[in-house]
Amino acid sequence: MSEEHWHEARLIPISGIRGQDEQERRATSALLAVLTAVHEFERELLKPLGAPAGKVSAFCEVPFELADGRKVRVDGVVRVVRGKRAWTLVVEVKTGKAELDKEQVEAYLDVVKQEGFAGLLTISNEIASVYGQHPVAVNKVRYGRVPLYHLSWARILSTALVANDHIGIEDPEQDWILSELIRYLQYEGSGARAFDDMGPDWTALRTALREGTLRRGDDTATGVAVRWEQLLQHISLSLAARLGGDVHPVLTRREARDPTVRTTALAKELVDEGTLSGKIAIPNAVAPLEISADLNSMMASASVTVAAPDLARSTARLNWLLRQLRSASDSLRIDVSFEWIKFTSAELLGAIRSDPKGVLAGTDRPPRSFTVVQTSRVGTKRRSGSGNFVKDMEKLVDEFYREVVQGLKPWTPPAPKLAVEKPEPAEEPAVSEPETDALAAGS
């Protein structure tokens, strides 16, 4: 019998998953077991939640009885013991399209309060619009002081990939165990789904934009704005998994404290301009990567703005950028802003290569900054498949980062040079004059 048809034995089997409950139980057990076995992954996932370094143990389907007589069975419990201190976290898990239930979350929070545990961690495919915020609005009066955390399956998978590919797992067996978890979470039947849907308001919003009937306060604008924020989180997590750094959407302090501020601003932008925009911070990149999508024309752009170098001639400043874009596509657009004036100029990279002075627009003001822009048509479909808006936005960002951003470097002034010291002229030897007496004697 040929071995090519044999199924390799797996630590976490992906076959035989029947129904939502089985899917959630298997995902919970797999994740918690790997947390106890792979130290680097456990630290990456639990340290931000306040877990100390120590011996990790995990349990599934743990029953509790509350003081009011309610019996609650939590999906999981993680315990980290360091010396005499025990840090315990309750875990609630959802997979697939299942969403977190407020009543169930609050029941788990009651367990945390009663037992004096460190907090509640919920896991689902829901992506919070702002990392650190929770997708379920619980009773703040009753549970405001109880630590409540949320991780999407996408973030967990991203963390596993970072630990595996960039941090590195010292023990080969632990490395294999983590690889098995990654393989399981990437399997469609695991219930750990990637973000691929712009939501139920997508079609209605695009219709309203096309007909000119979209108005402020429209719920469809708010719904799509929330999905856009989730898309930015999803793209950030995807980049983080491959780059190995902390990639995240750029937010003001006010937006980070209150997600509704950002959502309201995006909904207003949709109504007024028909566009959505955002920025993503990437470690050591020359500047944040900016993303924009025009839902009227279904054209999207990715861009990055770099400060012009402090060089005397305008052409020298422009040539500094062109040298860094030597292998970039002619279809990129370069927007130039100038010092001390609001006037800007723009031209395609191919045309600038033929006539560099054209984009300088004849002004005597030197360039202040350059914005490199890549545009692309994106699909209109809300879900995965050909012509999917989410996939097309991901592709645009990936291509732009690979071809432009990762190769750009900020201007670094050259180190000052010491003046070359001129050698001092050599002194001519003194000529002694003959004494008068000696001259007289020789005469």
Side-chain angles (χ1 to χ4, degrees):
M1 179 178 178
S2 175
E3 293 184 10
E4 64 185 30
H5 299 294
W6 295 7
H7 295 286
E8 184 179 356
R10 291 292 181 182
L11 180 67
I12 310 171
I14 58 177
S15 60
I17 300 177
R18 298 180 178 86
Q20 184 74 33
D21 291 343
E22 166 65 18
Q23 192 180 67
E24 290 179 2
R25 283 195 298 270
R26 192 173 297 194
T28 303
S29 182
L31 173 63
L32 298 189
V34 174
L35 282 176
T36 66
V38 184
H39 172 71
E40 291 86 353
F41 175 56
E42 175 266 322
R43 295 309 297 147
E44 285 295 304
L45 204 65
L46 297 185
K47 184 179 179 180
L49 308 184
K55 181 176 175 55
V56 184
S57 55
F59 314 87
C60 294
E61 300 288 332
V62 183
F64 292 92
E65 184 171 350
L66 297 174
D68 58 9
R70 285 180 295 157
K71 294 182 179 180
V72 179
R73 183 180 294 273
V74 303
D75 292 338
V77 171
V78 177
R79 176 164 290 164
V80 182
V81 177
R82 180 177 183 137
K84 295 182 179 180
R85 179 190 175 192
W87 182 91
T88 307
L89 188 72
V90 174
V91 181
E92 155 71 343
V93 175
K94 296 292 184 185
T95 57
K97 295 182 180 180
E99 296 184 350
L100 296 165
D101 178 72
K102 179 179 178 180
E103 184 177 349
Q104 188 177 35
V105 170
E106 291 188 342
Y108 280 27
L109 288 172
D110 286 330
V111 171
V112 174
K113 285 180 64 177
Q114 176 177 290
E115 302 297 328
F117 290 159
L120 167 64
L121 168 64
T122 60
I123 300 172
S124 72
N125 284 310
E126 298 165 84
I127 299 178
S129 55
V130 175
Y131 178 61
Q133 299 288 339
H134 202 276
V136 175
V138 299
N139 188 324
K140 292 294 184 181
V141 176
R142 184 170 182 177
Y143 304 107
R145 295 180 179 273
V146 183
L148 176 60
Y149 311 102
H150 178 73
L151 292 174
S152 66
W153 282 112
R155 183 169 292 276
I156 291 173
L157 176 57
S158 175
T159 303
L161 288 167
V162 168
N164 192 63
D165 298 338
H166 301 282
I167 297 174
I169 310 300
E170 293 184 4
D171 185 278
E173 292 183 356
Q174 292 185 23
D175 181 68
W176 175 70
I177 290 171
L178 184 59
S179 297
E180 286 291 287
L181 177 66
I182 291 171
R183 176 183 178 275
Y184 177 77
L185 294 180
Q186 290 176 331
Y187 170 61
E188 185 177 357
S190 70
R193 300 170 60 246
F195 180 84
D196 62 358
D197 188 346
M198 286 303 291
D201 296 314
W202 178 253
T203 302
L205 175 109
R206 292 193 61 249
T207 300
L209 281 173
R210 186 171 59 251
E211 296 175 349
T213 58
L214 188 64
R215 298 291 181 267
R216 291 190 183 183
D218 194 320
D219 290 341
T220 60
T222 302
V224 172
V226 169
R227 290 284 177 159
W228 173 259
E229 292 177 279
Q230 293 173 348
L231 173 58
L232 292 182
Q233 289 279 359
H234 168 70
I235 292 174
S236 299
L237 289 171
S238 178
L239 285 173
R242 288 170 289 161
L243 299 177
D246 177 22
V247 182
H248 58 270
V250 177
L251 300 173
T252 65
R253 290 185 178 180
R254 187 182 176 199
E255 289 170 343
R257 288 195 305 267
D258 183 1
T260 61
V261 173
R262 172 71 175 156
T263 304
T264 301
L266 284 170
K268 181 178 182 298
E269 181 184 344
L270 263 178
V271 174
D272 295 345
E273 308 291 338
T275 62
L276 291 164
S277 60
K279 297 181 181 181
I280 294 176
I282 302 171
N284 301 321
V286 66
L289 193 159
E290 302 182 39
I291 309 171
S292 178
D294 187 329
L295 301 191
N296 288 305
S297 63
M298 295 312 294
M299 293 295 294
S301 67
S303 63
V304 64
T305 300
V306 296
D310 186 15
L311 297 172
R313 293 184 298 112
S314 295
T315 52
R317 297 187 180 195
L318 179 60
N319 287 333
W320 166 83
L321 177 69
L322 296 180
R323 284 193 296 272
Q324 297 194 68
L325 299 175
R326 191 174 288 110
S327 60
S329 170
D330 284 345
S331 63
L332 291 175
R333 191 180 79 239
I334 308 298
D335 298 343
V336 185
S337 65
F338 299 88
E339 292 184 357
W340 309 302
I341 56 174
K342 293 183 178 180
F343 174 79
T344 60
S345 178
E347 189 57 84
L348 295 183
L349 181 56
I352 296 174
R353 283 169 171 157
S354 301
D355 179 19
K357 292 185 179 180
V359 76
L360 298 177
T363 177
D364 58 352
R365 303 296 187 184
R368 181 179 67 249
S369 66
F370 302 106
T371 300
V372 186
V373 186
Q374 179 175 333
T375 59
S376 175
R377 183 168 295 280
V378 289
T380 60
K381 295 181 181 178
R382 53 169 279 202
R383 290 194 178 94
S384 61
S386 178
N388 172 244
F389 177 79
V390 173
K391 294 300 180 185
D392 287 347
M393 290 299 303
E394 285 185 277
K395 181 181 178 182
L396 170 63
V397 172
D398 278 2
E399 289 180 352
F400 184 70
Y401 180 81
R402 183 180 297 108
E403 296 179 9
V404 176
V405 180
Q406 69 181 14
L408 285 178
K409 296 180 180 179
W411 164 252
T412 303
K417 296 181 179 179
L418 291 171
V420 178
E421 295 184 2
K422 297 180 179 180
E424 295 183 2
E427 294 184 2
E428 296 183 3
V431 179
S432 58
E433 295 182 2
E435 295 181 4
T436 305
D437 293 344
L439 291 173
S443 57

